[in-house]
């Protein structure tokens, strides 16, 4: 298992490779895609369809 020092080193390397702006852009897009997936999964849930009828 990774400890805090190892995670900090990995974070520093990622920041050096990609830059802070690109990391925040990717994180925002990832959050939006997770949100969209949750909404789609909620709409396709058979239990929610049975309770509506």
């Amino acid at each position: 298992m990774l400890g805090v020092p190892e995670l900090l080193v990995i974070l520093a390397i990622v920041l050096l490779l990609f830059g802070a702006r690109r990391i925040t852009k990717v994180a925002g897009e990832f959050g939006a895609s997770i949100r969209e997936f949750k909404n789609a999964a909620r709409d396709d849930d058979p239990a929610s369809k049975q309770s509506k009828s």
Side-chain angles (χ1 to χ4, degrees):
M1 181 118 184
L2 295 176
V4 174
E6 291 87 1
L7 292 176
L8 290 175
V9 170
I10 292 171
L11 178 63
I13 292 171
V14 168
L15 282 174
L16 287 174
L17 289 175
F18 296 109
R21 288 185 185 173
R22 189 165 178 195
I23 297 288
T24 57
K25 182 180 177 184
V26 168
E29 291 173 356
F30 181 71
S33 64
I34 293 294
R35 202 173 313 119
E36 184 177 334
F37 178 77
K38 285 183 179 180
N39 288 338
R42 191 177 314 124
D43 291 343
D44 291 340
D45 187 18
S48 65
K49 289 181 181 179
Q50 290 176 353
S51 64
K52 289 181 182 178
S53 28

